[in-house]
């Protein structure tokens, strides 16, 4: 029986921010992410892992190679809306993602833009806040929240759009240990319910939660395996 098509299929992609420069930020990466999987992309700052993440929902398009989201080529403009709807992204700084004064209005913003009916929006907001452990925060002002709470509101805003895949692009890097713990707890619960998750991180303890880990180095996948396999290759990680 053939294995089902990957949710995200990255095929030998190359990308440079400046075509005049010889070096690539992403240099010949291939990676398949399957339905329901939790994949961590681990690496030092500046190694290209966030650049790779931005290819998953067509924020960036490859210079060469192909990115397919449920079989849709991200370079095809006709697919852009569907790709962005299927792949939700939470960024490093929640202040860049929060748009409304009140928590419930912020979480409702994405579904409203998608044209979801009002009655459904209210239900989605409730479910999304429940999913990130912020029930009761509906009428709180976003600016008064802690960093970890803001990041979970940003996550709820993405979840309310009901994506198939959730990308966390260094989403915990500005949080204190308590905030990181809260975000990871929410991610574990979402994964347990079947969400496909890709976590871009430089924290080994976060990568240890994943089904598979891709260790990034100089724009390439240097090592790919389970967290247990990766942890036994301490020399590769040190590099």
């Amino acid at each position: 029986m053939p294995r089902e098509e990957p949710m995200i299929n990255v095929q030998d992609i190359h990308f440079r921010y400046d075509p005049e420069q010889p070096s690539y930020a992403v240099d010949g990466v291939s990676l398949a992410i399957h339905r329901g999987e939790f994949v961590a992309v681990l690496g030092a700052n500046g190694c290209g892992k966030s650049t790779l993440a931005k290819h998953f929902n067509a924020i960036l398009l490859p210079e060469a190679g192909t990115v397919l989201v449920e079989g849709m080529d991200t370079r095809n403009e006709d697919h852009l809306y569907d790709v962005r709807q299927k792949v939700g992204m939470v960024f490093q700084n929640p202040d860049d993602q929060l748009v409304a004064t009140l928590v419930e209005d912020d979480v409702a913003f994405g579904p409203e833009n998608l044209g979801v009916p009002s009655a459904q929006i209210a239900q989605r907001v409730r479910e999304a806040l429940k999913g990130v452990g912020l029930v009761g925060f509906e009428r709180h002002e976003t600016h008064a929240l802690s960093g970890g709470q803001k990041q979970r509101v940003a996550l709820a805003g993405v979840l309310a759009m009901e994506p198939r895949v959730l990308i966390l692009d260094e989403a915990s890097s500005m949080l204190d240990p308590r905030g990181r713990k809260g975000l990871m707890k929410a991610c574990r619960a979402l994964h347990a319910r079947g969400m496909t998750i890709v976590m871009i991180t430089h924290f080994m303890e976060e990568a240890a939660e994943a089904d598979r880990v891709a260790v990034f180095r100089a724009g390439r996948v240097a090592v790919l395996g389970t967290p247990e396999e990766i942890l036994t290759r301490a020399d590769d990680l040190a590099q």
Side-chain angles (χ1 to χ4, degrees):
M1 186 175 168
R3 188 169 186 184
E4 74 173 16
E5 182 181 274
M7 292 289 287
I8 298 176
N9 198 358
V10 177
Q11 301 171 350
D12 193 27
I13 66 166
H14 296 73
F15 178 85
R16 291 177 288 190
Y17 286 98
D18 181 358
E20 303 296 315
Q21 293 295 320
S23 60
Y24 286 88
V26 173
D27 190 6
V29 169
S30 295
L31 185 65
I33 293 156
H34 296 278
R35 192 179 309 276
E37 222 183 357
F38 187 162
V39 176
V41 180
L42 180 69
N45 289 331
C47 68
K49 58 190 188 301
S50 287
T51 302
L52 174 67
K54 290 182 176 73
H55 280 79
F56 294 157
N57 73 340
I59 292 174
L60 296 176
L61 301 175
E63 186 178 321
T66 307
V67 179
L68 301 175
V69 174
E70 289 199 326
M72 296 180 291
D73 192 328
T74 58
R75 287 176 301 189
N76 184 333
E77 288 187 8
D78 293 340
H79 292 156
L80 189 59
Y81 177 86
D82 287 330
V83 166
R84 295 262 172 91
Q85 200 174 357
K86 287 178 188 298
V87 183
M89 200 153 184
V90 180
F91 295 97
Q92 186 174 36
N93 188 344
D95 289 328
D96 293 341
Q97 216 158 343
L98 302 181
V99 294
T101 307
L102 295 180
V103 167
E104 63 182 1
D105 294 338
D106 197 275
V107 179
F109 181 79
E112 282 170 356
N113 278 352
L114 294 176
V116 175
S118 298
Q120 281 185 36
I121 289 175
Q123 174 68 19
R124 287 194 187 192
V125 170
R126 280 194 299 274
E127 288 296 317
L129 288 173
K130 183 180 175 184
V132 300
L134 287 178
V135 172
F137 281 75
E138 290 81 358
R139 303 296 295 171
H140 285 227
E141 294 190 354
T142 51
H143 73 85
L145 300 175
S146 70
Q149 289 167 339
K150 284 181 180 179
Q151 194 60 289
R152 282 188 283 156
V153 172
L155 173 55
V158 172
L159 294 178
M161 292 188 280
E162 297 189 346
R164 304 274 183 87
V165 185
L166 177 65
I167 312 293
L168 296 122
D169 183 16
E170 302 268 19
S172 69
S173 63
M174 295 180 70
L175 304 181
D176 61 18
R178 185 179 174 187
R180 283 213 305 273
K181 198 172 176 181
L183 185 64
M184 286 305 300
K185 183 180 178 183
C187 289
R188 278 196 299 274
L190 291 166
H191 182 233
R193 299 209 313 259
M195 176 74 78
T196 305
I197 295 177
V198 181
M199 178 172 280
I200 312 298
T201 183
H202 55 258
F203 295 114
M204 189 62 223
E205 65 269 24
E206 291 181 355
E209 304 260 356
D211 300 319
R212 281 193 302 151
V213 181
V215 180
F216 229 63
R217 184 167 68 220
R220 297 181 177 182
V221 176
V223 192
L224 179 65
T226 66
E228 292 77 18
E229 289 165 347
I230 299 299
L231 282 166
T232 62
R233 301 182 65 169
D235 292 342
D236 287 319
L237 283 181
Q239 288 178 41

